[in-house]
Amino acid sequence: MAFARLFAGLLAISGSVLAQSSTSYTDPDIGITFQGYTDATTDVTYGFVFPVGTDRDGEFIGEIISPVTNQWVGVALGGTMLDNLLLVAWPYGDTVVSSPRYATSFTLPALYAGPTITALPFTYVNETHWKFVYLCRNCTTWTNGTLDSTSKNSTVAWALSTVAVDDPANPDSAFAKHTAHGAFYENYHAARSALYIDILGIPIIL
């Protein structure tokens, strides 16, 4: 029952929180321009880049940048915990483990088959931060939901915890409820980039 509150607060985010909107920024380490948001309280950044057109429909490049004090960070692409694709990541050694999840009730979200999440070479863990730069394929459609990459005002919810997951080497690890959560408006339309294919080639081994 303790886990029943994980992401539950995301269903009742206040209007003041949702007034936060994404902006365009360029990651200085890798030169990629993302459309994203940095939460001022937790100092965690969430960014997205989408392809233009439909030749690579269903995928995007994303990043999460977090202080090492956060032991897992997750985003709900549909804005709430239930019936939406959840992307959860956590540091493990000098890399980051990712885990696509899905929940139909307020219990530990189950590992979700379908999405393929590939950590890109820009991913790292150091003494102060961890950065997860990833390619997410088959990630814009899920059971009972879709992500509209043409939307200019979609809700993305986030949650994180300072408590480590039970088995950090295992993408199917259990983890406890969040210690912080929130949401922001993401402009997916502005996240679409004509340079998407170029980004995938600078140089990334897939």
Side-chain angles (χ1 to χ4, degrees):
M1 294 301 294
F3 199 91
R5 292 188 299 278
L6 174 63
F7 288 104
L10 303 183
L11 297 175
I13 299 295
S14 69
S16 61
V17 172
L18 283 179
Q20 305 298 322
S21 297
S22 67
T23 58
S24 176
Y25 72 93
T26 299
D27 185 312
D29 294 333
I30 56 182
I32 296 176
T33 298
F34 292 89
Q35 183 74 20
Y37 168 76
T38 299
D39 180 68
T41 301
T42 61
D43 194 29
V44 177
T45 296
Y46 310 87
F48 300 91
V49 184
F50 284 81
V52 175
T54 59
D55 57 328
R56 303 186 72 92
D57 195 26
E59 70 177 56
F60 63 86
I61 297 169
E63 80 169 0
I64 297 172
I65 307 172
S66 172
V68 293
T69 50
N70 296 320
Q71 295 297 300
W72 65 259
V73 176
V75 292
L77 296 179
T80 63
M81 175 185 178
L82 297 185
D83 298 315
N84 282 298
L85 178 59
L86 313 173
L87 304 179
V88 185
W90 55 81
Y92 176 60
D94 60 357
T95 189
V96 174
V97 173
S98 60
S99 182
R101 302 282 178 131
Y102 191 86
T104 58
S105 62
F106 293 120
T107 56
L108 177 68
L111 197 65
Y112 185 65
T116 300
I117 306 174
T118 304
L120 302 182
F122 314 111
T123 296
Y124 66 78
V125 180
N126 63 26
E127 294 82 1
T128 61
H129 286 77
W130 55 271
K131 177 186 287 187
F132 182 43
V133 186
Y134 61 94
L135 174 64
C136 200
R137 284 180 164 150
N138 195 26
C139 289
T140 61
T141 301
W142 54 87
T143 304
N144 298 319
T146 59
L147 183 156
D148 180 5
S149 65
T150 67
S151 171
K152 298 181 180 180
N153 201 33
S154 290
T155 303
V156 174
W158 59 264
L160 58 82
S161 178
T162 55
V163 179
V165 304
D166 292 357
D167 182 6
N170 183 3
D172 196 21
S173 176
F175 48 88
K177 69 173 185 173
H178 63 265
T179 55
H181 68 273
F184 61 94
Y185 287 129
E186 174 65 24
N187 186 337
Y188 286 127
H189 182 270
R192 297 187 301 170
S193 173
L195 300 176
Y196 185 88
I197 299 300
D198 295 332
I199 292 170
L200 288 181
I202 59 165
I204 298 171
I205 300 173
L206 302 178

